[in-house]
Amino acid sequence: MHQFAPHIIVIELVRPDDAAPRIKQLTPSAATLLGYGEQELIGKPVDLIYAAGNDKALWQEALADATDKNTRQSPSARLRTGFSCEIVTKANDKIQVLISLSVLSSPTPNKTDIALLIQDKPVLSEVEDFSVESAFTESEERFRQMAEMAGEWLWEQDPEGYYSYSSAAVSQILGYSPDEVLGKHYTEFLTPQDKATQQHYATSHRPFYALLSHYRHKDGRQILTESTGLPIINAAGKLLKWRGVDRDITARMHFQDALIESEKRIRLIIESSLSAIVIMDSYGIVTDWNHPAEKIFGWTKDEAIGRRLDELVIPPRLHAAHRRGLELFLRTGSGPLLNRLIEQTAIRRDGTEFPVELSISPLKLGNAYIFSGFIHDITERKRLEHRFRQAVESAPNAIVMVNKSGTIVMVNAQTEAFFGYSRAELIGQPVEILVPKRFRNAHVGVRQAYLATPVSRPMGAGQDLYGLRKDGTEFPVEIGLSLIDSKEETLVLSTIVDITTRKATEAAIRQAQINLAIAQSEIKIAQRIQASLSPSAPIKSNHFEVTGYCLPADQVGGDYFDYFYRNEDHLDMIIADVSGHSIGPALFMVETRSAIRTQANGSGTPAETLKVLNNFLFEDLDRSDYFITLFYLQYNITNHQLSFANAGHPPPLLLSLFQSECRELDADGLILGVNKNVVFEEKTTTLSQGDLILLYTDGLTEAENADGEFFGLKRVNDILVQHALKSPQAIIEALLEQLKQFCRSESFNDDITLMIFKRH
């Protein structure tokens, strides 16, 4: 028997008025036979492919039979299943073929899917009529041969959905051999999510196209396929089998998912950027506008997209220049503002102008360009730059800024005063104009060496440096060098101090050093005096405990703490810090203690005591240029009420039992020695059982580690909370231990004094 080459077209017939059904699907070979692309025929009326005249009548009769057969329920009703005719190609050529029709399904009561099997007519003597069943039987072997060569998994299932044939491609797609698939129900290979939703296909008698299926590979991973299945139905309307194909689209879907995720990430980056991001097309129309752009310019994304960029963000006086620049780039491919970080003036929705820093980058997509702009509002930076210029101008020292080549680009008013040149005479000159001639050659090398490793530091450490005035006179100077962070160029800022007066006093300083050696013995005496003034032991009772500790930064410190009974009902506690340290502050501490102890016999409150103490010490402090910060507490032992006043000292910390945060005890008051007759605010609070108070000097919180980080109140708070149930002495030891670990040192730059009161 002759082997025909089958070409299949699936048409959809809508009753009762559809005389020309439309093509729903076709095989690539059918499209090739007719000279069309596969998608060209989808949706077109089927009468596009058959000739007029008698052949048209054959088609209409066959379709009428199919419609009538599908309508009648009697399985014995006649259906004309095949005929010989001519079909017309896209090039209007006519081909003799054999046509057979097979009803595939009834998707809805008014629709019918019909399969057209088109085979080349080999010779005119061939039998013209044949059944769909015999045509499929004759092409069975050919189908299987083609299936084995195809990259897709081709399969057949019996009417119940059990595999009766599987091509070898199943091994590549699912990892199973064809023998492992045969006899298995198709749902056995689906993931649980698809088993329930696809259970009905086996009995539906309806074809399905490009159905997304989730299979489980033999190794357990998920495989995604695009499934197409056609029911094979005989003339009596009986489902004979299912024939279908699965195409592995796992990689394609993963690529699509990755693309979607990539687009989401890009969108997230754009929206989370701190800078405004604006994208426009080659016509100057905004195509994207992120949230920072909304905040900076005042236009919402919906309002901005689709409008011209210059109308939204560029001042009107600059519109023409913007459009000329865009036209220039589109014409020549070059633009002076592109791919650079520049400063421009922008305009907000309300009409206010402000400075921005922006970079614009073009991107060619096909034959067109898009432009992405990254815009940052630099209003605050400009304000700070203005303040910087004001600060430089009003600085008490000469400030000279030079570029990488050593040319002066900026000077302040003090430079003019120091060197006798006007500003105009200095700008643009080499900095060596300010250096004595005998040092100029060496200075060039020093300047270049600094630029090789620029750090903020004094110039010529250990050497005598001199400046040269316009009149030729020299004067001793001290110079500090700093690098200015500038994106445009490297700049060095020189701070020049006239140390003529300092040099004049160096002899006195050397003499002072001699005097200092003499004073060493006096310091030892002061140390013994200072040690004798501190409380010799903690005060403990059944209701409270107080103790303190002082760690001087120098041989003799300027910190002071004390506690004593004012009377049987009141306990006074004081902590003070004299500015500086060594013997001078220590002597003021002695004087302060004496004055306080003198007042202890009276009934003064903390505020009253501070007022008397300030007036008493004012003259001495004013003459010596010292000052004292002091905090005074008075505890009423009977009613547990705490009164306190402050003279500019860091507020003590009050921690209640089982609390995680300390409360600061503070009151208004100037430091001692600034003004006379100062009125100090006095406050009160009641202490509960378990309450503890830490009094400290700023040497504790301002102690720095090697990285320049302060010990800070937060660490103090955490340590107090951690050790709150311990004794005052144990808490002080824990604080000092943690401080030494933090600073990695046993000594500190400032005196550290701690005092803890705890109510039991």
Side-chain angles (χ1 to χ4, degrees):
M1 179 179 291
H2 180 79
Q3 295 295 316
F4 301 107
H7 313 287
I8 300 174
I9 298 178
V10 178
I11 64 175
E12 182 180 71
L13 187 145
V14 181
R15 298 189 312 278
D17 299 325
D18 194 351
R22 295 188 178 272
I23 296 172
K24 187 174 183 179
Q25 193 172 10
L26 72 162
T27 61
S29 65
T32 302
L33 175 68
L34 296 167
Y36 290 92
E38 191 172 342
Q39 295 300 317
E40 283 187 89
L41 287 172
I42 301 299
K44 298 293 192 299
V46 73
D47 59 10
L48 183 67
I49 68 171
Y50 60 75
N54 294 333
D55 285 349
K56 181 175 182 180
L58 289 173
W59 279 88
Q60 291 177 341
E61 182 181 353
L63 292 174
D65 280 352
T67 305
D68 187 52
K69 175 64 182 72
N70 194 54
T71 304
R72 295 195 299 268
Q73 299 300 318
S74 172
S76 62
R78 180 179 178 276
L79 169 63
R80 182 176 180 81
T81 58
F83 56 93
S84 174
C85 69
E86 288 183 339
I87 59 175
V88 182
T89 68
K90 185 176 182 179
N92 209 30
D93 296 328
K94 296 181 180 179
I95 304 173
Q96 285 286 334
V97 295
L98 299 174
I99 303 290
S100 63
L101 283 72
S102 177
V103 177
L104 296 179
S105 65
S106 298
T108 68
N110 294 325
K111 292 183 180 181
T112 301
D113 286 349
I114 300 173
L116 306 180
L117 184 65
I118 306 174
Q119 297 186 355
D120 299 332
K121 190 173 182 180
V123 292
L124 292 176
S125 59
E126 290 278 3
V127 178
E128 295 185 354
D129 288 337
F130 57 94
S131 66
V132 175
E133 289 86 345
S134 64
F136 280 119
T137 301
E138 288 183 13
S139 63
E140 188 79 18
E141 184 60 30
R142 184 175 296 276
F143 165 76
R144 294 181 185 276
Q145 291 175 357
M146 290 190 298
E148 295 303 329
M149 293 186 295
E152 290 88 3
W153 172 30
L154 288 89
W155 47 261
E156 289 184 354
Q157 298 170 5
D158 65 17
E160 284 73 37
Y162 291 88
Y163 287 106
S164 58
Y165 168 76
S166 172
S167 68
V170 71
S171 300
Q172 297 177 351
I173 296 176
L174 296 184
Y176 294 97
S177 67
D179 290 340
E180 291 178 295
V181 173
L182 294 179
K184 300 291 195 307
H185 196 268
Y186 70 93
T187 58
E188 291 188 34
F189 301 96
L190 295 173
T191 58
Q193 69 191 80
D194 278 2
K195 281 186 178 181
T197 59
Q198 296 191 23
Q199 185 73 39
H200 69 283
Y201 282 111
T203 57
S204 69
H205 293 203
R206 296 179 181 176
F208 50 88
Y209 308 99
L211 175 68
L212 182 63
S213 297
H214 300 75
Y215 287 98
R216 184 65 64 189
H217 193 276
K218 190 174 182 177
D219 63 11
R221 56 194 169 92
Q222 181 175 272
I223 300 296
L224 302 178
T225 73
E226 198 172 66
S227 303
T228 298
L230 295 176
I232 308 303
I233 301 173
N234 65 10
K238 179 181 178 182
L239 177 64
L240 300 177
K241 66 174 76 174
W242 284 86
R243 179 173 287 170
V245 60
D246 274 82
R247 178 181 295 109
D248 187 354
I249 60 170
T250 306
R252 188 183 79 190
M253 294 300 290
H254 286 173
F255 174 78
Q256 290 176 351
D257 291 344
L259 184 61
I260 291 172
E261 287 301 315
S262 175
E263 290 175 349
K264 288 181 179 178
R265 284 194 294 271
I266 292 173
R267 187 77 252 159
L268 182 62
I269 290 171
I270 290 176
E271 289 302 328
S272 61
S273 172
L274 296 179
S275 299
I277 298 178
V278 177
I279 299 176
M280 74 173 186
D281 62 18
S282 55
Y283 297 100
I285 304 300
V286 174
T287 60
D288 206 344
W289 184 272
N290 71 347
H291 182 63
E294 293 182 319
K295 294 177 63 178
I296 290 176
F297 295 104
W299 299 97
T300 67
K301 184 175 183 179
D302 291 340
E303 291 172 326
I305 290 178
R307 295 187 59 179
R308 291 192 62 89
L309 179 67
D310 53 6
E311 297 175 352
L312 299 175
V313 305
I314 300 176
R317 66 182 182 278
L318 302 177
H319 284 186
H322 164 77
R323 296 182 184 182
R324 286 196 301 270
L326 180 59
E327 292 171 0
L328 174 66
F329 175 80
L330 295 176
R331 188 173 64 254
T332 66
S334 65
L337 302 183
L338 298 178
N339 297 313
R340 294 175 51 211
L341 192 62
I342 58 176
E343 293 183 5
Q344 289 287 345
T345 300
I347 189 170
R348 296 186 178 91
R349 181 174 187 167
D350 61 9
T352 58
E353 295 186 3
F354 64 104
V356 297
E357 186 177 70
L358 77 153
S359 62
I360 305 172
S361 301
L363 176 64
K364 191 170 186 180
L365 297 178
N367 295 324
Y369 280 93
I370 65 170
F371 301 85
S372 58
F374 295 80
I375 307 169
H376 184 61
D377 184 351
I378 58 172
T379 303
E380 182 63 18
R381 192 180 81 190
K382 287 295 185 182
R383 184 180 65 83
L384 293 176
E385 288 177 358
H386 178 67
R387 287 189 176 182
F388 170 75
R389 293 190 187 95
Q390 287 182 318
V392 168
E393 193 61 29
S394 60
N397 302 316
I399 295 180
V400 178
M401 185 180 291
V402 301
N403 61 19
K404 193 173 183 179
S405 64
T407 301
I408 298 173
V409 297
M410 187 198 76
V411 297
N412 68 345
Q414 200 65 21
T415 305
E416 296 176 299
F418 277 13
F419 292 93
Y421 290 97
S422 69
R423 198 174 307 235
E425 291 175 304
L426 289 175
I427 300 299
Q429 296 294 323
V431 71
E432 281 75 23
I433 194 175
L434 305 177
V435 178
K437 292 182 180 180
R438 66 182 184 280
F439 298 128
R440 287 180 181 176
N441 291 335
H443 184 269
V444 173
V446 170
R447 174 167 52 78
Q448 293 174 345
Y450 174 77
L451 288 171
T453 55
V455 293
S456 297
R457 62 173 175 82
M459 179 180 176
Q463 301 178 18
D464 291 333
L465 303 179
Y466 294 89
L468 179 66
R469 298 187 181 95
K470 183 179 180 179
D471 62 9
T473 59
E474 298 181 8
F475 63 103
V477 295
E478 186 177 78
I479 302 175
L481 301 176
S482 299
L483 187 70
I484 300 298
D485 184 14
S486 172
K487 297 181 178 63
E488 290 77 19
E489 58 181 333
T490 300
L491 299 173
V492 178
L493 190 72
S494 303
T495 304
I496 305 170
V497 182
D498 183 349
I499 58 173
T500 302
T501 303
R502 185 193 306 173
K503 286 290 186 179
T505 60
E506 283 183 351
I509 293 175
R510 286 192 292 271
Q511 183 61 46
Q513 291 173 340
I514 296 173
N515 296 338
L516 179 62
I518 298 173
Q520 294 298 319
S521 60
E522 298 176 0
I523 291 176
K524 293 180 181 179
I525 297 172
Q527 288 176 328
R528 289 195 293 271
I529 295 173
Q530 184 179 31
S532 67
L533 296 177
S534 299
S536 59
I539 295 179
K540 298 182 180 180
S541 73
N542 294 333
H543 305 293
F544 65 86
E545 180 179 352
V546 60
T547 189
Y549 179 78
C550 182
L551 179 63
D554 210 332
Q555 294 175 329
V556 180
D559 284 1
Y560 158 62
F561 75 93
D562 200 2
Y563 43 80
F564 54 86
Y565 286 105
R566 178 175 287 269
N567 51 50
E568 62 182 9
D569 294 324
H570 293 89
L571 174 72
D572 285 19
M573 294 168 280
I574 306 99
I575 189 165
D577 185 359
V578 183
S579 57
H581 33 79
S582 192
I583 190 168
L587 294 176
F588 268 107
M589 182 268 284
V590 173
E591 185 177 6
T592 301
R593 182 185 185 278
S594 299
I596 291 173
R597 288 287 183 152
T598 301
Q599 299 296 317
N601 295 327
S603 58
T605 65
E608 293 170 346
T609 303
L610 286 183
K611 182 177 181 180
V612 172
L613 185 62
N614 179 62
N615 291 336
F616 177 77
L617 297 173
F618 177 76
E619 297 295 337
D620 291 341
L621 289 170
D622 187 51
R623 286 195 303 269
S624 63
D625 202 25
Y626 284 113
F627 62 84
I628 300 174
T629 67
L630 187 147
F631 202 95
Y632 204 111
L633 301 93
Q634 192 173 86
Y635 177 60
N636 189 312
I637 302 171
T638 304
N639 61 15
H640 312 298
Q641 189 176 66
L642 183 72
S643 301
F644 55 90
N646 191 7
H649 195 81
L653 301 179
L654 169 61
L655 178 65
S656 298
L657 197 61
F658 304 120
Q659 295 294 313
S660 60
E661 292 291 338
C662 295
R663 176 165 64 94
E664 291 187 345
L665 300 177
D666 199 9
D668 291 336
L670 285 176
I671 57 178
L672 302 181
V674 175
N675 290 323
K676 293 190 79 172
N677 300 318
V678 176
V679 176
F680 295 90
E681 180 185 19
E682 182 169 306
K683 293 184 179 179
T684 61
T685 187
T686 301
L687 299 182
S688 302
Q689 288 186 346
D691 284 358
L692 67 87
I693 299 172
L694 169 66
L695 295 92
Y696 64 94
T697 56
D698 56 12
L700 172 67
T701 55
E702 295 178 5
E704 295 183 63
N705 61 15
D707 298 326
E709 183 183 5
F710 289 134
F711 191 64
L713 275 177
K714 179 64 170 60
R715 288 186 177 85
V716 174
N717 180 90
D718 294 345
I719 295 170
L720 289 179
V721 172
Q722 182 181 359
H723 300 279
L725 299 179
K726 295 182 179 180
S727 67
Q729 183 61 39
I731 296 173
I732 289 176
E733 292 172 358
L735 280 166
L736 291 174
E737 179 63 27
Q738 292 284 342
L739 180 65
K740 291 175 182 178
Q741 290 179 10
F742 175 79
C743 296
R744 296 183 180 180
S745 176
E746 295 291 324
S747 60
F748 305 94
N749 295 328
D750 196 4
D751 303 332
I752 297 173
T753 299
L754 306 173
M755 183 167 66
I756 290 183
F757 173 87
K758 186 173 185 180
R759 181 188 166 192
H760 298 312

